[in-house]
C-alpha cells in the first residue's frame, strides 16, 4: 500500500491541520509525489516535489527539520524557485511505518505572526505532526485491511456462486442478505427481489421459521417446491450464525435431490460396468439371448429376465443398462427376497419424516428415487409380498411414487428390469402373484438357458475363471487335467455359472501342482453320479511324473549332489532331470 492509495483522506487531514493551526500544509509520499497540499505558501500549484526541497530531504533522511527562515536553510538558499515561495518558517516531520519513512508532513508559516508561533511551539508541533503521521498510517492500514476484506468477500462470493448447492444468508431478523445463483434459479428469484423478503417467506416450512425465531438448527430435510407447475425436490439444511452467545443470523443450504442421488450413487455404487462382452459364452443359445437383449436395451419397456439361480440374470440386467441411453445414470439393484417383508416398502419407495417410529429425521429416499433417470433391477420379483405388488403396479402405470407417510406423488423416470427363477405364469394362475402385474412386467421376456443346455460354453468359462482366480490368488496353474475337465463338462450344474465359479475358486486354492487334479476339486462334485468310482485311480502320466520328481527333490535336496541322487532314484539321467525341472518349472 502507498500513501497515494489514500490521497483523499490525506488531503482532508491536510486541510484539517491547516484550519486548526492557520498554517499551510504540504504532504509528500516516499516517491516525492504530492499527496496533500493547502496551496498557500507558493505562488503556483506544486506539481512535483524535488528531493532538493526541504520536504524531499526529510523523506530521504527520515529525520525532522525546523527552518526559521529561507535565509537559514541551505535547501532554500540554492532553490531556483525561492522567489515564488512565501515560506517564513517551517517544521517538516517524517511519516513512519515499521520504522521506515513513507512520506513527510510540512507545516509552513507564511506570516511573521505565525512564524513566531511555529518557532516558539516547535517541540509541541513536532509531537503533533508525529500524531498526524500516525493518523495517516492508521488510515493506510485501514485501507489495506478494507482491501483485503473486499478481496476475501469477492472470493467467497465467487465460491458461493461456483458450488452446486444453493445458499441463502439471512440476518438475525430473518431478512435475506445474500442468495447465490443456484438458489435464485431454483426459486425463480432475482437478487433484488430476494433482499426484500424474509427467509421463511421464501421457504415457508415451519422448521425454517424456527431456525430464525428459536435458533433451532436442522439438517437434510427433503422438501417439495412448486415452480412453474413443476415440483422441485430438494434437500435443505439450516444453521445459525453465532456472535458470542447471540444469534447474528442464519445460513440455509439447498441441494436438488437429483444432485443428492448422483452423489449417493457415486459413493455407494461400484464404478465397474458390465457389457455384453463380459458375458462369457459363444454357444448358439447364449448368442441368441444376447442379441435379443441388445435389441431392447434402448427401449423403455419393462423387461422380465427368467432363468435358474446362478445363470447370470443380474449380469444381463447390468449389460442392458450399460448398452442403453441411460448408462450414465444410476443402476440400482434390489433383491426382493433378501429384505425383510416389513422393510421392502420403505426401501423401495422411501418415507417421510415421522412416518413411523424410528424413521430417520428428514425422511429417506427410496430405491426408485435413487435410480432416477437410470435403471432399477428388481431381482427375485416372485418373492415380493402381494400387498406391495399392488403399489408396484401403480408405479409402473403412473410413473410416480408416493412415500410412506407422504401425500404427494413424486414423478420418476426409471426403467424397470425384473428377474425371477420362478414360474410367474403358474404363480399368477394359482393366485400367488398378481396377474395384472405379471403382464405389466412380462412386456419383454428374456429367458437365460441353464448351463447344462449350453455345454459348449463350459470350457470357455473354465478358462476364463482360471485366469481370474490365478490372478486373484497369485497362482500359476496352467489348466485342468483331462479327467477333471471331463467331470466338469459332464456335470449337470444345478447352480449354473455361480456353482461352476465356486468350484474353480475352491480348486485353485487347493491345487499344489501346475494342473487342476481330481484331488483338488470339491468332494460334492466327485460324489455326483459315481464320478469318484470312475476316476479314483486315473492320473495322467505327466502329472504323476511331475509329482515324483518333486518328491525326489524334497527327499534328496536341491544341491548338485542331491539332484544326482534324485536322478539315480528315479532311474533317469541328470540331463533328463534338468530338462524336466525346467519343463515343470520346479
Amino acid at each position: 500500500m502507498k500513501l497515494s492509495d489514500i490521497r483523499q483522506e490525506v488531503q482532508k487531514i491536510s486541510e484539517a491541520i491547516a484550519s486548526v493551526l492557520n498554517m499551510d500544509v504540504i504532504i509528500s509520499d516516499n516517491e516525492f509525489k504530492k499527496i496533500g497540499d493547502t496551496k498557500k505558501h507558493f505562488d503556483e500549484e506544486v506539481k512535483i516535489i524535488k528531493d532538493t526541497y526541504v520536504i524531499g530531504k526529510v523523506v530521504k533522511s527520515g529525520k525532522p527539520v525546523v527552518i526559521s527562515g529561507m535565509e537559514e536553510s541551505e535547501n532554500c538558499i540554492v532553490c531556483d524557485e525561492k522567489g515564488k515561495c512565501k515560506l517564513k518558517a517551517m517544521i517538516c516531520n517524517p511519516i513512519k511505518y515499521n520504522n521506515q519513512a513513507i512520506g513527510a508532513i510540512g507545516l509552513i508559516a507564511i506570516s511573521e505572526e505565525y512564524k513566531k508561533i511555529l518557532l516558539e511551539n516547535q517541540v509541541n508541533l513536532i509531537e503533533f505532526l508525529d500524531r498526524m503521521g500516525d493518523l495517516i498510517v492508521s488510515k493506510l492500514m485501514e485501507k489495506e485491511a478494507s482491501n483485503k476484506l473486499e478481496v476475501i468477500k469477492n472470493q467467497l462470493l465467487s465460491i458461493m456462486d461456483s458450488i452446486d448447492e444453493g445458499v441463502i444468508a439471512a440476518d438475525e431478523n430473518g431478512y435475506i442478505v445474500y442468495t447465490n445463483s443456484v438458489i435464485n434459479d431454483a426459486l425463480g428469484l432475482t437478487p433484488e427481489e430476494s433482499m426484500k423478503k424474509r427467509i421463511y417467506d421464501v421457504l415457508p416450512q415451519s422448521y425454517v421459521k424456527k431456525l430464525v425465531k428459536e435458533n433451532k438448527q436442522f439438517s437434510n430435510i427433503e422438501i417439495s417446491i412448486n415452480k412453474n407447475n413443476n415440483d422441485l425436490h430438494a434437500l435443505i439444511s439450516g444453521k445459525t450464525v453465532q456472535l458470542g452467545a447471540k444469534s447474528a443470523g442464519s445460513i440455509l443450504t439447498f441441494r436438488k435431490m437429483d444432485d443428492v442421488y448422483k452423489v449417493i450413487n457415486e459413493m455407494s455404487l461400484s464404478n465397474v460396468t458390465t457389457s455384453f462382452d463380459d458375458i462369457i459364452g459363444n454357444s448358439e443359445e447364449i448368442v441368441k439371448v444376447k442379441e435379443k437383449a441388445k435389441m431392447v436395451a434402448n427401449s423403455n419397456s419393462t423387461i422380465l429376465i427368467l432363468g435358474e439361480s446362478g445363470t447370470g440374470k443380474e449380469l444381463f440386467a447390468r449389460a442392458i443398462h450399460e448398452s442403453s441411453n441411460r448408462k450414465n445414470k444410476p443402476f440400482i439393484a434390489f433383491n426382493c427376497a433378501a429384505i425383510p417383508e416389513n422393510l421392502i416398502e420403505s426401501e423401495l419407495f422411501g418415507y417421510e419424516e415421522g412416518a413411523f417410529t424410528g424413521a430417520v429425521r428428514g425422511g429417506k429416499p427410496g430405491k426408485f428415487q435413487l435410480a432416477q433417470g437410470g435403471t432399477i433391477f428388481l431381482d427375485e420379483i416372485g418373492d415380493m409380498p402381494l400387498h406391495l405388488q399392488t403399489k408396484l403396479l401403480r408405479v409402473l402405470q403412473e410413473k410416480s411414487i408416493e412415500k410412506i407417510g407422504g401425500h404427494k406423488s413424486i414423478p420418476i423416470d426409471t426403467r424397470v428390469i425384473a428377474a425371477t427363477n420362478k414360474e410367474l405364469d403358474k404363480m399368477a394362475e394359482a393366485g400367488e402373484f398378481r396377474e395384472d402385474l405379471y403382464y405389466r412386467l412380462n412386456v419383454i421376456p428374456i429367458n437365460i438357458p441353464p448351463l447344462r443346455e449350453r455345454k459348449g460354453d463350459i470350457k470357455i468359462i473354465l478358462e476364463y475363471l482360471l485366469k481370474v482366480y490365478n490372478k486373484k490368488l497369485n497362482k500359476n496353474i496352467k489348466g485342468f487335467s483331462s479327467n477333471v475337465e471331463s467331470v466338469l463338462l459332464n456335470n449337470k450344474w444345478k447352480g449354473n455359472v455361480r456353482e461352476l465359479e465356486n468350484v474353480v475358486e475352491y480348486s485353485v486354492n487347493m491345487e499344489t501342482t501346475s494342473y487342476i487334479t481330481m484331488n483338488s476339486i470339491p468332494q460334492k462334485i466327485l460324489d455326483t453320479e459315481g464320478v469318484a468310482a470312475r476316476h479314483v485311480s486315473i492320473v495322467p502320466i505327466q502329472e504323476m511324473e511331475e509329482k515324483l520328481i518333486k518328491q525326489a527333490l524334497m527327499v534328496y535336496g536341491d544341491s548338485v549332489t542331491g539332484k544326482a541322487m534324485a536322478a539315480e532314484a528315479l532311474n533317469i539321467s541328470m540331463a533328463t532331470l534338468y530338462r524336466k525341472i525346467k519343463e515343470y518349472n520346479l
Side-chain angles (χ1 to χ4, degrees), residues 67-184:
I67 299 172
S68 57
M70 281 194 289
E71 66 280 358
E72 296 180 14
S73 169
E74 59 183 49
N75 293 84
C76 294
I77 291 171
V78 298
C79 181
D80 295 334
E81 298 171 309
K82 60 184 176 182
K84 302 175 185 178
C85 186
K86 300 174 185 177
L87 182 148
K88 300 296 181 183
M90 180 179 186
I91 296 175
C92 195
N93 212 57
I95 302 170
K96 289 192 173 182
Y97 179 48
N98 289 337
N99 294 320
Q100 297 290 322
I102 61 170
I105 306 176
L107 185 62
I108 305 168
I110 57 175
S111 68
E112 292 296 331
E113 178 187 357
Y114 283 96
K115 171 182 178 178
K116 182 180 179 182
I117 294 171
L118 184 147
L119 294 175
E120 288 177 352
N121 295 280
Q122 59 182 279
V123 175
N124 291 334
L125 289 173
I126 287 173
E127 186 176 345
F128 173 73
L129 292 180
D130 267 339
R131 301 287 78 77
M132 291 300 100
D134 292 343
L135 176 61
I136 290 171
V137 168
S138 70
K139 292 289 183 183
L140 186 65
M141 293 172 67
E142 188 178 299
K143 179 70 173 178
E144 189 174 12
S146 176
N147 286 352
K148 286 181 180 178
L149 284 173
E150 187 67 23
V151 169
I152 292 170
K153 174 189 169 186
N154 290 337
Q155 288 174 337
L156 287 173
L157 292 177
S158 296
I159 291 169
M160 290 298 101
D161 271 330
S162 66
I163 62 176
D164 55 5
E165 284 191 16
V167 179
I168 307 177
D171 64 18
E172 65 274 18
N173 297 313
Y175 284 99
I176 295 172
V177 295
Y178 170 77
T179 55
N180 71 350
S181 56
V182 175
I183 201 76
N184 290 333

Side-chain angles (χ1 to χ4, degrees), residues 442-457:
N442 197 35
V443 177
I444 301 175
I446 294 178
N447 286 278
I448 303 177
L451 195 54
R452 61 183 171 275
E453 292 180 10
R454 51 186 184 107
K455 288 191 175 181
D457 291 334

Side-chain angles (χ1 to χ4, degrees), residues 112 125 183-184 223 231 240 414 454 457 529 543 562 568:
E112 292 296 331
L125 289 173
I183 201 76
N184 290 333
I223 63 169
D231 280 338
T240 57
T414 305
R454 51 186 184 107
D457 291 334
E529 298 181 356
E543 291 180 28
E568 185 179 349

Side-chain angles (χ1 to χ4, degrees), residues 230-385:
N230 289 318
D231 280 338
L232 175 66
H233 295 274
L235 205 64
I236 63 171
S237 298
K239 293 187 177 182
T240 57
V241 178
Q242 296 297 126
L243 184 61
K246 293 178 63 178
S247 171
S250 50
I251 300 288
L252 189 142
T253 57
F254 170 104
R255 193 159 197 178
K256 293 178 183 176
M257 288 305 298
D258 286 347
D259 295 334
V260 175
Y261 300 149
K262 183 179 178 182
V263 172
I264 290 171
N265 284 303
E266 285 176 351
M267 293 177 67
S268 61
L269 299 180
S270 169
N271 290 324
V272 176
T273 56
T274 301
S275 70
F276 285 107
D277 292 336
D278 296 318
I279 299 174
I280 308 301
N282 56 16
S283 64
E284 183 180 352
E285 295 84 358
I286 203 68
V287 168
K288 284 182 179 179
V289 177
K290 286 202 275 189
E291 289 301 319
K292 181 177 182 180
K294 287 177 185 177
M295 287 175 62
V296 300
N298 265 328
S299 169
N300 285 323
S301 299
T302 304
I303 293 175
L304 180 61
I305 301 176
L306 303 164
E308 294 179 4
S309 178
T311 50
K313 295 187 287 296
E314 184 170 338
L315 273 179
F316 268 90
R318 288 184 179 274
I320 291 169
H321 172 77
E322 187 60 25
S323 298
S324 74
N325 50 18
R326 295 174 178 267
K327 69 177 184 178
N328 293 323
K329 296 293 184 178
F331 177 92
I332 302 293
F334 182 82
N335 191 315
C336 301
I339 305 293
E341 184 176 325
N342 61 332
L343 294 179
I344 292 179
E345 184 176 8
S346 63
E347 286 294 317
L348 275 179
F349 308 114
Y351 56 82
E352 297 287 2
E353 181 177 358
F356 50 82
T357 302
V360 175
R361 188 178 181 189
K364 179 183 175 181
K367 294 293 189 287
F368 271 98
Q369 280 183 283
L370 293 177
Q372 181 70 8
T375 302
I376 186 167
F377 174 57
L378 301 176
D379 199 6
E380 308 291 357
I381 190 69
D383 292 291
M384 177 170 279

Side-chain angles (χ1 to χ4, degrees), residues 3 7 9-15 17 25-29 32-38 49 55 59 93 95 102-107 132 136:
L3 287 179
R7 187 181 298 274
E9 288 86 345
V10 172
Q11 179 61 31
K12 288 178 182 178
I13 291 171
S14 301
E15 292 168 359
I17 295 170
V25 176
I26 186 167
I27 300 176
S28 169
D29 67 7
F32 306 107
K33 294 176 182 175
K34 185 185 70 172
I35 307 300
D37 187 7
T38 52
I49 293 173
I55 193 168
V59 169
N93 212 57
I95 302 170
I102 61 170
I105 306 176
L107 185 62
M132 291 300 100
I136 290 171

Side-chain angles (χ1 to χ4, degrees), residues 504-520:
V504 173
E505 183 177 2
Y506 175 89
S507 300
V508 173
N509 270 292
M510 296 295 110
E511 189 56 67
T512 58
T513 69
S514 298
Y515 289 85
I516 300 292
T517 64
M518 295 292 288
N519 295 326
S520 66

